[in-house]
Amino acid sequence: MRDFHLPGRSPVFAQNGICATSHPLAAKVAVQILEAGGNAVDAAIAGAVLLGICEPQMTGIGGDCFVLLKPAGDEKIIALNGSGRAPAALSAEKLRAAGQAKTPGAPMSGISAGGPEAVTIPGAIDAFCRLSKDWGRIGLKAALAPAIHYAEAGVPVAPRTAMDWRIAASTLQGDARDHYLLAGKAPVAGQVFRHPQQAEVLRRIALEGRAGFYEGEVAEDMVAALRALGGVHTLDDFAATACDYTDPVSGAYKDVEMVEHPPNGQGATAILLNNILSHFDVAGMDPFGAARAHIEAEAAKLAYDARDRFLADPDYMTRLPHMLSPELGADLAALIDPKSAMPDPRAASDRVHRETIYLTVIDKDRMAVSLIYSIFHSFGSGIASSKFGVLFQNRGFGFSLEPGHPNEAGGGKRPMHTIIPGMLKKGGKVIMPFGVMGGAYQSNGHSRLITNIVDFGLHPQAAIDAPRSFSDAGHMMVERGYPDKVRAELAEMGHKVSIPEVPIGGAQAILIDDENGVLQGASDPRKDGCALGY
């Protein structure tokens, strides 16, 4: 791989284990778990749950997770779907009727992001309990101890987190304002945020397992909060929550294989995007020039249109082989004009957002975990339970209300998710767990990270540091790292170019260097976090 040619962070080198994530305290705790004898699963659980205290606008126990796991001594990758389902009584027909009543003559186009109808049952805690039981070494009580401590003692708010908190504070409703604001205001960088009520929830989970969350007083508190706002959630919905082991999906890009979590996540979209890009000489382009940004934007428009048409709960999705086929990639590539932007073909561009965390850990035995954990929008639905302050995700916002659509809202269904963990294989061996945060950007981000590495020979840290662009909702966001000349050229091609207010996404990765027996961690400077190893 090439040496750095861009200013940025240095990669982190270690022999025994590394964690890369979006907050340094979570990375530190994960490494401490490894040093104390825990494995990558134990460390990932410890770091991820703590991130709900460090970055509550991004994630928390009221959310979902997806996991890719490579066991020690094995190159087979296992997927775990920790996404929750809609309550059994949710009805698309009733939601459509309610929308028509509010706006006479116009059908409801989507689900309210801040209403109880957008709240699906949290799936992450069930997944963490299952992971600990099946793959962990030190037990759930030990893995949750750091998060319990910091929920009580507090965590100083980091700068990027403070900015996100300030921007999204107005979405917090009712009891959530008491739990997640300080004296009615978003905390500023350096102020200490505590959540003792969540510490109590975590203690119950540590002692009782999943029953401490999905049954009893905590579940009753969550159901009461949702039903008070008109939700149809029941205790039975919470008690029935269960994660599923699944088979990953994958696709080749030149000499590497990109492994993704299957639907209801959008990993297939990243594979399709790479299948489209494989028909262009990306390696012959300026890596940060207009031609590459344009081709990538056009490929993403087409891949995301396919996503919005086909992706859904896997029990309702029938077109996954079509999405993954090289033939579809070739057909879509033929639609791209190398010199001119097409109108955005997506019918539902506003059904995605940008809030999530990603964490990856590799231990001394080379067990690798790629984990993404989210409450969807910033502060999710903005709704929290009264007594314990569990902040609910709004993943139901990702459902469609189009009759007959595979992703149509329905009782017991999982909505289409934007969150996707990834792993990269070469020659049949896992060489890099990785993830890219950023809602809609995530599939595009996976593709760009891989093409930065494969086509341009960048080290993962340089590939992460590099400037990004993304065409979303009819506008092409081009980060400040690009020269003005590139933005002007893109505008001439027909793109509506803008500079984003906040950086596009975030990313983490760990490169496995078997030749030297060294792990190389990479962490995005767009976030507060870092990679740490020992």
Side-chain angles (χ1 to χ4, degrees):
M1 290 182 177
R2 296 179 188 173
D3 293 331
F4 285 97
H5 65 268
L6 296 164
R9 288 181 170 178
S10 297
V12 171
F13 293 81
Q15 292 176 282
N16 297 299
I18 285 183
C19 174
T21 192
S22 53
H23 195 284
L25 186 58
K28 166 186 164 294
V29 160
V31 171
Q32 286 178 318
I33 292 287
L34 296 178
E35 290 178 306
N39 64 17
V41 161
D42 300 315
I45 293 169
V49 176
L50 176 55
L51 285 167
I53 304 299
C54 298
E55 301 179 78
Q57 84 286 7
M58 292 283 182
T59 196
I61 59 176
D64 285 348
C65 72
F66 288 136
V67 182
L68 294 178
L69 167 68
K70 185 199 85 67
D74 194 348
E75 298 304 320
K76 181 181 178 181
I77 298 172
I78 297 162
L80 182 66
N81 187 330
S83 67
R85 300 177 183 272
L90 186 74
S91 164
E93 185 176 353
K94 289 181 179 178
L95 290 171
R96 284 192 290 266
Q100 289 170 345
K102 292 174 185 176
T103 311
M108 189 174 185
S109 60
I111 292 171
S112 168
E117 60 273 13
V119 178
T120 48
I121 309 302
I125 289 298
D126 183 74
F128 294 154
C129 292
R130 183 73 177 271
L131 277 172
S132 178
K133 179 174 181 286
D134 293 351
W135 298 99
R137 183 181 292 158
I138 63 174
L140 199 60
K141 185 176 180 181
L144 294 180
I148 293 170
H149 166 75
Y150 283 109
E152 289 275 16
V155 174
V157 176
R160 171 63 194 270
T161 299
M163 179 181 72
D164 292 341
W165 211 314
R166 174 180 54 79
I167 291 171
S170 62
T171 64
L172 293 167
Q173 312 173 39
D175 291 320
R177 297 184 63 81
D178 296 329
H179 290 291
Y180 294 93
L181 297 178
L182 303 183
K185 297 180 180 179
V188 298
Q191 281 190 286
V192 176
F193 172 69
R194 298 177 177 87
H195 200 329
Q197 300 87 354
Q198 186 159 316
E200 176 58 26
V201 175
L202 295 175
R203 284 192 196 95
R204 296 183 186 208
I205 296 168
L207 293 173
E208 303 170 34
R210 66 176 305 283
F213 184 78
Y214 293 101
E215 301 173 27
E217 192 177 9
V218 175
E220 290 167 2
D221 181 47
M222 292 190 285
V223 169
L226 293 166
R227 293 190 72 88
L229 294 172
V232 295
H233 308 72
T234 68
L235 289 172
D236 287 343
D237 291 324
F238 277 80
T241 298
C243 59
D244 299 303
Y245 285 112
T246 60
D247 294 322
V249 294
S250 66
Y253 185 75
K254 299 188 176 177
D255 64 343
V256 300
E257 179 186 3
M258 186 164 67
V259 182
E260 298 280 353
H261 199 285
N264 49 314
Q266 63 167 334
T269 313
I271 294 169
L272 174 56
L273 211 167
N274 276 355
N275 284 342
I276 297 170
L277 291 176
S278 69
H279 293 275
F280 298 90
D281 181 21
V282 176
M285 300 174 185
D286 178 345
F288 310 114
R292 183 206 181 187
H294 167 72
I295 291 296
E296 183 183 277
E298 300 303 281
K301 290 175 186 177
L302 294 165
Y304 282 44
D305 180 53
R307 180 201 70 180
D308 291 340
R309 293 173 187 271
F310 304 135
L311 279 187
D313 184 319
D315 292 339
Y316 296 84
M317 184 180 175
T318 61
R319 304 299 300 278
L320 181 59
H322 176 65
M323 274 196 75
L324 296 174
S325 69
E327 292 78 14
L328 179 61
D331 290 345
L332 294 178
L335 301 177
I336 294 175
D337 183 339
K339 300 293 184 183
S340 179
M342 71 179 74
D344 192 333
R346 285 183 289 152
S349 60
D350 63 341
R351 315 237 34 92
V352 288
H353 214 267
R354 295 190 170 83
E355 311 308 331
T356 189
I357 64 90
Y358 175 78
L359 177 147
T360 180
V361 183
I362 299 180
D363 63 26
K364 62 182 176 62
D365 298 316
R366 298 309 185 249
M367 171 187 275
V369 176
S370 181
L371 184 154
I372 201 152
Y373 172 38
S374 173
I375 53 174
F376 199 22
H377 286 190
S378 194
F379 289 118
S381 63
I383 302 167
S385 67
S386 177
K387 180 175 182 179
F388 293 106
V390 177
L391 188 66
F392 298 109
Q393 66 183 357
N394 58 342
R395 278 291 165 188
F397 184 70
F399 278 126
S400 170
L401 288 182
E402 178 186 336
H405 193 288
N407 191 38
E408 181 184 9
K413 288 182 70 173
R414 285 171 161 146
M416 189 273 285
H417 270 51
T418 55
I419 58 176
I420 48 172
M423 286 194 181
L424 200 63
K425 297 181 84 171
K426 188 172 183 178
K429 297 190 69 174
V430 172
I431 61 167
M432 189 180 80
F434 71 96
V436 180
M437 296 165 274
Y441 180 69
Q442 288 183 58
S443 291
N444 198 152
H446 277 216
S447 176
R448 168 157 283 220
L449 181 61
I450 298 315
T451 57
N452 274 349
I453 293 170
V454 173
D455 288 319
F456 303 111
L458 296 183
H459 185 280
Q461 183 63 62
I464 287 171
D465 290 340
R468 296 173 182 152
S469 61
F470 181 45
S471 187
D472 184 45
H475 288 81
M476 189 173 187
M477 297 179 288
V478 181
E479 285 188 332
R480 287 179 174 83
Y482 278 92
D484 290 338
K485 179 176 178 287
V486 169
R487 275 185 279 274
E489 290 172 356
L490 290 167
E492 288 175 7
M493 292 179 184
H495 295 282
K496 295 179 180 178
V497 178
S498 63
I499 299 175
E501 273 188 61
V502 297
I504 298 173
Q508 317 286 337
I510 303 173
L511 183 67
I512 303 172
D513 176 5
D514 281 329
E515 184 178 347
N516 293 304
V518 170
L519 302 170
Q520 302 180 26
S523 181
D524 204 320
R526 294 168 179 84
K527 297 287 184 177
D528 295 314
C530 63
L532 291 176
Y534 78 108

